[in-house]
Amino acid sequence: MTQTSQSAAAFRKIMKQYGGIFLALIVLCVIFSVVNPRFMSIANFMNILQQVAVIAIAAFGMTWVILLGEIDLSIGSIIAVAGMVGAQCFAFGLGFVPAVLLTLIAGAMLGLVNGTLTAKLLLPSFIVTVATMGIYRGLVSLPTNGAPAMILDESWMAIGANSVFGLPIIIWIVVALFLFNHILLSKTTFGRRAYLIGGNREAALYSGIKVDRMKITIFMISGIMAAISGILLSSRLLSAQTNAGASYELDAIAAAVLGGTSLAGGVGTMVGTLIGALIIGVMNNGMNMLSVPYFYQLIVKGLVILIAVWLDVRSKRAKQ
């Protein structure tokens, strides 16, 4: 096979895998541009990318969890916890680096709780993370009795405000984390094990894979990704809000499922999730520009998830 034919075959494979959702993204952009010409302005485009950043990073973590056939409904609350941990670190006089490290550790520990309860106590992840979603959300309010906490550290604020080589720092962080998660999932033994566990847990056990350890580790990855999203969100808001990250778990699930991650486990890619996050970001931005009420936006995103799951089920039935 010549290099040209190999390239053509690779292109056809990519289009077959991602062509549908990429076309959906383009169609959405065209629709919103026609309805509101300001939608495609450079300023709005950069705003969309920064809004997508928080969703995309949380969705990377959610993709890992869904690949196992599990779910993590607590990531919105972890996002809020992360912002509050950072704010409290600065309140106690700690510097930027310790604040970031402690925030990431907090995210990992909250993910550890989710993973341990799911793997070791054999509780359904849906039930576990519904419970911890409420617990973690309550923890956010404890330091300030529900009031927002201002964050005035210059380095923390720079994450959400400054640019490097013409692009916001937030976007560079998304690119770095996308590459990290994509390589870890598609090019390493760890990623192959995640696929195997989600696709056939019994086969994974017979292969000698420590399924419980993998499950706990992946929930910790989800917690860390949510904590990074919390850092980015609080840096943009210049404060830690007790309601930060509310319904972000819905956006993360929608991004992953739209990108082709199967809720049954064993199928999914970070590339698809990134495109899915862009679709969610475009939808959010477009509906905000059209002044669509928030509760209608929730209805739309819920319907999007239902349609994506329905298409996933149809695809599986067609292959059987």
Side-chain angles (χ1 to χ4, degrees):
M1 184 179 290
T2 65
Q3 185 174 356
T4 302
S5 59
Q6 287 178 339
S7 300
F11 178 76
R12 284 195 297 270
K13 182 179 178 181
I14 291 172
M15 289 305 297
K16 182 178 179 181
Q17 189 168 9
Y18 304 115
I21 54 174
F22 192 70
L23 178 61
L25 175 62
I26 293 173
V27 169
L28 276 175
C29 290
V30 171
I31 291 172
F32 285 126
S33 298
V34 170
V35 175
N36 190 332
R38 291 189 297 113
F39 177 82
M40 285 303 289
S41 66
I42 297 298
N44 189 56
F45 181 68
M46 297 304 292
N47 185 42
I48 290 173
L49 290 180
Q50 292 184 77
Q51 291 173 346
V52 164
V54 178
I55 298 170
I57 293 171
F60 295 154
M62 185 67 80
T63 300
W64 282 105
V65 174
I66 296 177
L67 276 172
L68 297 183
E70 306 290 348
I71 201 75
D72 187 353
L73 298 175
S74 69
I75 62 169
S77 298
I78 295 176
I79 287 172
V81 170
M84 187 59 72
V85 168
Q88 294 306 305
C89 286
F90 295 125
F92 281 98
L94 297 180
F96 173 73
V97 173
V100 170
L101 291 176
L102 288 172
T103 300
L104 297 181
I105 290 171
M109 291 302 99
L110 296 180
L112 174 65
V113 171
N114 289 337
T116 301
L117 291 175
T118 300
K120 296 301 184 182
L121 298 186
L122 303 179
L123 298 175
S125 57
F126 177 85
I127 301 300
V128 167
T129 56
V130 162
T132 56
M133 174 175 63
I135 294 170
Y136 298 163
R137 183 67 63 179
L139 291 175
V140 179
S141 300
L142 291 181
T144 61
N145 291 320
M150 297 300 296
I151 299 178
L152 301 177
D153 180 82
E154 291 186 2
S155 297
W156 194 280
M157 291 189 294
I159 295 173
N162 291 4
S163 298
V164 175
F165 301 120
L167 282 178
I169 292 174
I170 284 181
I171 295 176
W172 289 112
I173 293 173
V174 174
V175 171
L177 289 174
F178 164 72
L179 291 174
F180 168 77
N181 283 284
H182 172 66
I183 292 170
L184 185 63
L185 179 60
S186 62
K187 305 295 183 183
T188 69
T189 301
F190 184 86
R192 288 190 290 273
R193 287 175 177 172
Y195 278 120
L196 181 57
I197 293 170
N200 192 329
R201 187 177 186 276
E202 295 301 320
L205 286 169
Y206 285 127
S207 299
I209 297 174
K210 298 184 184 300
V211 173
D212 287 354
R213 183 182 297 177
M214 280 286 295
K215 189 173 292 186
I216 292 171
T217 301
I218 282 176
F219 270 99
M220 291 178 71
I221 290 174
S222 178
I224 292 171
M225 291 297 117
I228 296 172
S229 291
I231 292 172
L232 301 189
L233 183 60
S234 61
S235 71
R236 294 196 71 199
L237 298 176
L238 307 180
S239 64
Q241 305 281 341
T242 55
N243 64 344
S247 82
Y248 274 49
E249 60 279 345
L250 184 64
D251 287 345
I253 293 170
V257 173
L258 279 172
T261 304
S262 172
L263 288 171
V267 177
T269 65
M270 293 298 165
V271 174
T273 295
L274 181 60
I275 299 173
L278 286 168
I279 290 175
I280 296 299
V282 166
M283 287 174 54
N284 287 341
N285 181 269
M287 288 190 290
N288 285 334
M289 292 188 74
L290 296 176
S291 300
V292 176
Y294 178 68
F295 51 87
Y296 281 123
Q297 295 187 33
L298 290 177
I299 293 172
V300 170
K301 283 184 279 189
L303 289 173
V304 166
I305 292 177
L306 284 175
I307 293 170
V309 172
W310 174 67
L311 292 173
D312 178 51
V313 171
R314 280 193 61 188
S315 174
K316 279 185 170 52
R317 288 176 179 171
K319 293 176 181 178
Q320 291 177 350

